[in-house]
Amino acid sequence: MGSFPRCADRVGGMTEKAQVPSIAARLECGHAADPFSILRCRAVLLLNAANPAPPLAGPAGSADGGFAAALTPGQLRPACDPAEFGFETTAELEALPGLIGQTRAVDALRFGVGIRQEGYNLFVLGPAGVGKRSLVRELLARGDAGPAAAHADWCYLHNFSEPHRPRAVRLPGGRGPVLRDALAHWVDELRSAIPALFDGEAYRSKAAAIQQRFEQQQEQALKALGAEAAQQQILLLRTPAGFGFAPAQGEEVLPPAAYERLPQDQREQIDQRIDALQQKLTLLLAQIPQWWKERNAKMRQLNQDTTLATVRPGMDELSRRFADLPEILEHLQAVQRDVVERADDFRKPEETVSIAGLRLVARESFHRYQVNLLVSHADGDGPPLVTEDNPTYAHLLGRVEHIAQLGALVTDFTLIKPGALHRANGGYLLLDARKVLMQPFAWEGLKRALQSRQIRIESLGQMVSLVSTVSLEPQPVPLDVKIVLFGERWVYYLLQQVDPDFGELFKVAADFEDRIERTPDSHLQYARLMATLAVREHLLPLDRAAVARVIDHSARLAGDAQRLSTHMRSLADLLREADFWARQAGRAAMSVDHVRQAIATQIGRRDRLRVQVQEAILRGTLMIATSGRAVAQVNGLSVFDLGDFAFAQPVRITATTRLGEGEMVNIEREARLSGPVHAKGVLILSAYLAARYARDQPLALSASLVFEQSYSRVDGDSASLAELCALLSDLAGAPVRQGLAVTGSVNQLGQVQAIGAVNEKIEGFYDICAARGLDGTQGVLIPRANVKHLMLREDVVAACAERRFAVYPVDHVDGALELLTGAMTGSAPPAGAVHARVGERLARLTALRQSYSPAAQRAGHAVQAAD
């Protein structure tokens, strides 16, 4: 061991259970005269009597206590053999329908879109890029969804009885445009036919006769009153101010001077006659408005009869065309009545407006007779399949638009705009769950529509009382739609937990796999998938070596040598870029070199930060040792996840120990840089020490652990094995080989558990060692449970094959200790030697702590007094 204390050399061949009593006996014999030493020795004996250590498992990979065997190249990278394929290029393969490995999701989709019961909407969950949307659209487009609802058109019509509540009317598929165009054409004909009819001689004669009869009636009444007044020598006068009476002198008006010369009694008689006539005149004038009403009624009836003669032929034709639709017939009758009543609107002349020298003609728009066609589906169309990429409240449920007129906002039923639910009614609506949740009121509006099975168009401004503009209350449209939500798994589980309505409305979950099992059959299926993508994207075919390299890369993306990634976006991007390099080289097919070049350039575009970190290590800014030995210092491995790229770098982990009361100081946590999982890992280390070395007595230890030169948040427990080795190295005084890096999680029993990103961690340490020069002593310790996840870069595998680098699997902390404290040549001392030194150190700390207690001090004084 060299740097180990001598006592460790003497007990190197013993088991841990036998070592500590011998140390205790030596201490007791060597220091019997010292009362404090006697107390320390008794504490050591108590420690070993109460806590016999369990037998140690042999180090990983060896049954005789030697080094764990380094992994072979085949274990580091189980590569796909191109010879297993019976084709030369993917051009020989048949296309693959759908996606591979998604049987569970496809079965769920078919069930969800096939069942027509309420609440069986779908939530398609899985990571982005696995092809969820394309598969769902393909399935629905093929008609695998089963029978769909009958096609229907929906439109809004003017409500003549309640104009603020437009009527929603359902028509058979394709009939909506027919009704809209037929009504528009009929109204256009009326706009020319009605004015022409009213300008005709027949109408003019009838109107003149009515006017003449009214005038004659009025004139005859006035003449009769005038004759009666003349008999009484009173004249009926017509003045600009109206009618009046005056005394007559022959046929002329009696002058005022002559009137004043008349006797008083004669003047009184004249006044009385005039008053009586004035009363009759008043009664006569009171009858004239009534005569006007009668005249207007007759004119209105004439207008209506004249208009009806023009309207009826076209309306009868419309009624015959839509005789099978009672709602439309009812509306047509209402339109006819309104046209007849408002015939004067058709007789108004064109209004001209001049703007910037241009003469514009403004016509009455006759909006009330239009058909606002919201959605229309032809008979030959399949069920509607709608995707809404911007699912705002208005885009989902529709809106009522307004226009500005004379400084005010006005609207009518023709300004009602449909939402995605209207367009998808009777079919399927595809939405992104996260986008819906991010839009104000959109999620609640969608749920309300599904629960009520109605699409109710409401103004958000009025809902929250922000505006008081007069708006419409359109009649709700019955809803029959299947909603398909897409989202990641955390969105689905969050909604299941926090929204009680979610489980009632979305009862079918289609969970897409992000990995599939890697077998020869899946290799061939993957090759067919590449062939399908190449044809679909108009790419060059791949030769079988390139197919094998893509499969290896897929396993690397899956993070498991026994699995393949189903991330279709990454696969398609890789094929597109390999096709680019193949075309640049003038090749007819993509080769393995083009795939390698595509992978390398993908990494090269993203690894700026990795290069900077490695440069900082190589220049000594970040202190990482890759050779020599050091006590209480271990190379851990940390991972940086940048979203579309992840890399690892070594990080120095150090530990210090001293007399204390069993506390384990996690400096990262004290600095608020430690996440909960990392803090848990440190607590597990404390539990491991207490369980192994201090079962029935206090752990007189205070320890500190830190990631050196780490200034950002640290989380995860993959460094707990390295932290434990650093801690045991400090307690035992055992130097650790700096050419090895350690990754792995450890439990309370000292067993090493699997961690993530094992490939990135090995490659991160390899890159630093390779840049400094490989000497055959460097390597990485990984959990044995992670061996099946290895899919290392080809250069790393080549270095391991040449024995310039090594990867060691371990499954217990003892195996890690033997590798870290041993030598590359010769045999390493068993881990029990390290544990013995740790036990001895802890025993000394326990005794020292007890020596400082009041009871120990009183005992020491008593021994001295007895002497």
Side-chain angles (χ1 to χ4, degrees):
M1 290 290 295
S3 60
F4 263 30
R6 291 195 175 193
C7 60
D9 290 335
R10 290 198 299 270
V11 298
M14 302 181 183
T15 64
E16 182 184 8
K17 186 175 181 179
Q19 292 164 4
V20 181
S22 64
I23 297 172
R26 179 173 55 82
L27 288 172
E28 186 172 7
C29 294
H31 304 279
D34 184 355
F36 297 104
S37 299
I38 294 173
L39 291 174
R40 288 194 295 270
C41 294
R42 289 176 179 173
V44 173
L45 292 172
L46 179 62
L47 169 67
N48 288 277
N51 303 299
L56 295 176
S62 62
D64 58 356
F67 284 115
L71 295 176
T72 64
Q75 293 174 301
L76 298 175
R77 183 184 176 85
C80 176
D81 185 3
E84 71 179 70
F85 300 120
F87 58 86
E88 292 299 325
T89 70
T90 55
E92 305 170 20
L93 298 177
E94 296 181 357
L96 181 70
L99 300 175
I100 61 175
Q102 304 295 354
T103 303
R104 179 191 295 107
V106 171
D107 291 344
L109 287 171
R110 286 176 175 161
F111 169 77
V113 299
I115 188 171
R116 309 306 299 180
Q117 300 298 322
E118 183 177 354
Y120 282 85
N121 297 293
L122 295 98
F123 194 105
V124 181
L125 59 153
V130 297
K132 303 188 296 293
R133 293 177 182 272
S134 59
L135 180 61
V136 170
R137 295 188 68 90
E138 180 181 349
L139 185 147
L140 296 177
R142 287 203 310 258
D144 293 354
H151 298 159
D153 294 352
W154 282 97
C155 62
Y156 272 108
L157 303 175
H158 180 70
N159 190 336
F160 293 96
S161 59
E162 296 180 281
H164 69 286
R165 301 192 65 184
R167 298 175 57 197
V169 178
R170 182 183 186 275
L171 296 91
R175 301 286 294 278
V178 176
L179 175 63
R180 177 194 60 194
D181 297 342
L183 266 178
H185 179 69
W186 177 69
V187 170
D188 284 342
E189 288 183 344
L190 293 182
R191 292 170 62 181
S192 58
I194 291 177
L197 187 62
F198 278 89
D199 290 338
E201 187 63 31
Y203 172 79
R204 290 178 180 273
S205 299
K206 293 178 183 179
I210 294 174
Q211 181 66 24
Q212 184 177 1
R213 284 196 296 271
F214 168 75
E215 293 176 352
Q216 287 176 355
Q217 182 181 16
Q218 180 177 339
E219 189 63 29
Q220 287 174 359
L222 290 174
K223 283 183 178 181
L225 182 61
E228 181 182 354
Q231 293 176 359
Q232 302 178 30
Q233 295 185 345
I234 302 295
L235 293 179
L236 175 61
L237 303 178
R238 298 188 182 186
T239 67
F243 294 95
F245 293 97
Q249 185 178 7
E251 294 183 357
E252 301 293 334
V253 177
L254 182 66
Y259 176 77
E260 292 297 333
R261 290 193 295 269
L262 294 176
Q264 178 66 30
D265 56 346
Q266 189 176 356
R267 290 202 304 268
E268 291 177 357
Q269 290 177 1
I270 292 174
D271 292 341
Q272 289 175 359
R273 290 196 298 270
I274 290 176
D275 290 340
L277 291 172
Q278 188 67 42
Q279 292 178 0
K280 291 182 179 182
L281 178 61
T282 301
L283 294 175
L284 175 62
L285 293 178
Q287 290 180 337
I288 291 178
Q290 180 62 33
W291 295 342
W292 267 105
K293 289 182 180 179
E294 294 175 0
R295 177 262 180 194
N296 291 340
K298 291 180 179 180
M299 289 297 297
R300 185 163 51 251
Q301 185 63 44
L302 173 62
N303 292 343
Q304 291 178 358
D305 293 342
T306 304
T307 304
L308 187 59
T310 307
V311 169
R312 181 173 293 147
M315 182 58 66
D316 290 344
E317 174 63 22
L318 288 175
S319 298
R320 285 192 296 270
R321 295 177 66 180
F322 297 96
D324 57 328
L325 302 174
E327 284 187 286
I328 299 303
L329 289 178
E330 180 185 350
H331 178 71
L332 292 177
Q333 294 301 318
V335 169
Q336 176 176 297
R337 289 192 299 270
D338 192 75
V339 169
V340 170
E341 292 175 0
R342 301 168 62 92
D344 288 343
D345 290 345
F346 290 85
R347 299 171 58 191
K348 293 178 180 179
E350 296 178 348
E351 298 178 2
T352 60
V353 180
S354 295
I355 301 178
L358 298 177
R359 184 175 178 272
L360 303 179
V361 178
R363 291 178 176 266
E364 172 64 36
S365 62
F366 302 102
H367 283 173
R368 59 199 299 114
Y369 308 126
Q370 292 182 3
V371 175
N372 183 3
L373 185 61
L374 293 183
V375 290
S376 177
H377 304 288
D379 289 335
D381 295 342
L385 180 58
V386 178
T387 300
E388 180 54 62
D389 294 325
N390 185 24
T392 63
Y393 180 88
H395 287 176
L396 284 177
L397 285 92
R399 65 193 184 278
V400 178
E401 294 183 344
H402 293 74
I403 57 176
Q405 286 187 357
L406 302 177
L409 294 177
V410 297
T411 186
D412 59 48
F413 78 101
T414 63
L415 296 177
I416 299 175
K417 303 302 179 183
L421 287 173
H422 294 94
R423 299 194 302 274
N425 204 3
Y428 309 96
L429 176 58
L430 280 54
L431 298 171
D432 186 284
R434 186 178 60 86
K435 291 181 180 179
V436 175
L437 293 171
M438 291 177 63
Q439 294 294 339
F441 303 101
W443 177 245
E444 291 300 322
L446 177 62
K447 290 195 303 178
R448 186 164 56 250
L450 293 176
Q451 290 168 339
S452 65
R453 300 183 68 83
Q454 290 182 336
I455 311 173
R456 186 180 297 274
I457 300 178
E458 297 176 301
S459 169
L460 274 180
Q462 290 182 325
M463 286 175 57
V464 297
S465 301
L466 290 179
V467 296
S468 58
T469 303
V470 176
S471 188
L472 302 177
E473 298 178 15
Q475 184 180 355
V477 174
L479 178 63
D480 179 19
V481 69
K482 185 77 70 173
I483 303 295
V484 182
L485 284 181
F486 296 90
E488 298 186 25
R489 293 187 177 94
W490 67 267
V491 177
Y492 174 80
Y493 297 129
L494 179 66
L495 288 172
Q496 282 282 15
Q497 186 172 4
V498 303
D499 191 338
D501 299 327
F502 179 74
E504 291 296 324
L505 297 175
F506 294 88
K507 297 182 179 181
V508 181
D511 196 350
F512 274 65
E513 299 283 354
D514 48 8
R515 302 187 304 173
I516 61 172
E517 186 176 0
R518 184 179 179 183
T519 63
D521 181 63
S522 64
H523 283 181
L524 182 58
Q525 295 294 315
Y526 222 79
R528 291 180 60 194
L529 179 61
M530 293 183 220
T532 304
L533 289 174
V535 173
R536 183 183 303 168
E537 300 287 335
H538 306 290
L539 307 177
L540 297 175
L542 294 86
D543 64 27
R544 56 185 180 182
V547 169
R549 183 64 183 86
V550 172
I551 289 175
D552 291 344
H553 182 67
S554 177
R556 173 59 184 265
L557 291 178
D560 192 333
Q562 300 174 4
R563 298 290 184 270
L564 293 177
S565 171
T566 61
H567 198 266
M568 293 299 102
R569 185 170 62 202
S570 298
L571 175 61
D573 289 345
L574 178 60
L575 296 186
R576 294 186 190 106
E577 295 181 26
D579 173 81
F580 171 79
W581 295 116
R583 293 181 187 274
Q584 289 287 99
R587 304 295 184 181
M590 290 181 265
S591 68
V592 64
D593 292 333
H594 303 134
V595 176
R596 288 195 182 105
Q597 187 174 7
I599 296 173
T601 53
Q602 281 183 348
I603 295 174
R605 293 193 298 268
R606 303 167 181 168
D607 69 344
R608 181 188 61 84
L609 183 58
R610 181 182 69 171
V611 171
Q612 290 184 349
V613 171
Q614 291 178 355
E615 180 181 328
I617 294 175
L618 296 175
R619 296 179 64 186
T621 305
L622 296 178
M623 295 187 293
I624 299 294
T626 56
S627 61
R629 295 173 179 269
V631 175
Q633 178 177 300
V634 176
N635 288 324
L637 295 167
S638 60
V639 177
F640 294 84
D641 190 353
L642 305 180
D644 59 348
F645 181 64
F647 69 93
Q649 72 165 58
V651 58
R652 175 174 292 179
I653 299 175
T654 60
T656 60
T657 58
R658 54 204 172 275
L659 179 64
E661 298 182 356
E663 66 271 12
M664 185 77 68
V665 179
N666 177 5
I667 294 180
E668 311 295 332
R669 183 183 62 186
E670 297 300 321
R672 298 184 179 180
L673 294 176
S674 173
V677 179
H678 179 253
K680 175 186 175 182
V682 175
L683 293 175
I684 289 176
L685 301 187
S686 178
Y688 169 82
L689 293 176
R692 178 143 196 166
Y693 303 108
R695 285 180 178 269
D696 298 320
Q697 66 180 29
L699 187 63
L701 169 71
S702 179
S704 299
L705 291 167
V706 68
F707 281 63
E708 302 290 357
Q709 292 184 286
S710 173
Y711 309 107
S712 58
R713 186 174 178 82
V714 175
D715 204 1
D717 62 350
S718 64
S720 58
L721 176 61
E723 292 172 324
L724 179 57
C725 291
L727 188 61
L728 295 178
S729 169
D730 186 72
L731 288 170
V736 172
R737 292 168 52 195
Q738 299 301 293
L740 296 178
V742 181
T743 183
S745 169
V746 68
N747 62 21
Q748 294 185 108
L749 304 178
Q751 297 167 337
V752 181
Q753 304 168 138
I755 45 84
V758 64
N759 293 290
E760 289 80 1
K761 291 176 179 178
I762 294 173
E763 292 167 357
F765 190 66
Y766 168 84
D767 289 338
I768 298 301
C769 295
R772 290 177 172 174
L774 298 174
D775 58 11
T777 65
Q778 294 108 338
V780 179
L781 279 64
I782 67 169
R784 185 175 296 278
N786 280 119
V787 173
K788 58 181 175 291
H789 302 140
L790 292 178
M791 203 68 195
L792 293 174
R793 289 196 322 246
E794 292 169 311
D795 58 332
V796 181
V797 176
C800 292
E802 297 169 0
R803 297 183 180 276
R804 295 184 296 119
F805 194 78
V807 178
Y808 302 100
V810 296
D811 44 26
H812 196 276
V813 64
D814 293 350
L817 286 174
E818 292 194 3
L819 285 166
L820 291 171
T821 60
M824 287 302 295
T825 58
S827 60
V834 177
H835 291 303
R837 300 303 300 164
V838 172
E840 180 182 352
R841 173 76 185 282
L842 292 175
R844 290 199 301 270
L845 291 175
T846 301
L848 184 60
R849 179 182 174 187
Q850 290 179 348
S851 68
Y852 287 118
S853 66
Q857 292 180 357
R858 288 194 298 271
H861 292 314
V863 171
Q864 291 178 354
D867 293 342

